[in-house]
Amino acid sequence: MSKDKKVAIVTGSATGLGAAAALMLAQKGWNVVINYTKSLKEAQEAEAACRKAGAETLMAQGDVAEDADCKAIVEATIRKWGRVDGLINNAGVS
């Protein structure tokens, strides 16, 4: 595991702008957390693209409208890399 790369959590990163943001970070040398609620297949595709770009990844299922899910995502990130350097809060809640 690379502990020297910056780490970002990108909420809603299975599809659309979130997936594009995660890939952009991966291409710039960041490790990324791919967050999704229901779109497992798409999250796996986003993860594969980020890994191909050279990033280490962590897939984290969770609904960011739920406080417990948010805490679990951060805790999993800290367990893997020991840090969180950035957050792109892309997931929308209405």
Side-chain angles (χ1 to χ4, degrees):
M1 276 186 289
S2 173
K3 298 246 184 202
D4 57 337
K5 286 185 173 183
K6 290 185 178 181
V7 176
I9 298 171
V10 183
T11 66
S13 49
T15 62
L17 289 174
L23 180 57
M24 179 199 68
L25 288 168
Q27 291 168 335
K28 293 188 178 290
W30 288 60
N31 291 329
V32 292
V33 177
I34 307 294
N35 164 248
Y36 67 102
T37 303
K38 300 175 192 165
S39 306
L40 174 60
K41 180 179 181 275
E42 292 87 348
Q44 291 168 331
E45 292 168 357
E47 179 184 41
C50 290
R51 286 187 176 185
K52 186 176 180 182
E56 289 182 20
T57 60
L58 173 67
M59 288 206 353
Q61 183 177 17
D63 181 348
V64 297
E66 299 296 327
D67 189 55
D69 288 0
C70 294
K71 288 178 181 177
I73 292 166
V74 171
E75 288 170 2
T77 304
I78 297 293
R79 273 194 309 275
K80 181 160 183 155
W81 290 297
R83 62 196 280 175
V84 176
D85 299 296
L87 167 67
I88 296 180
N89 197 12
N90 173 71
V93 178
S94 60

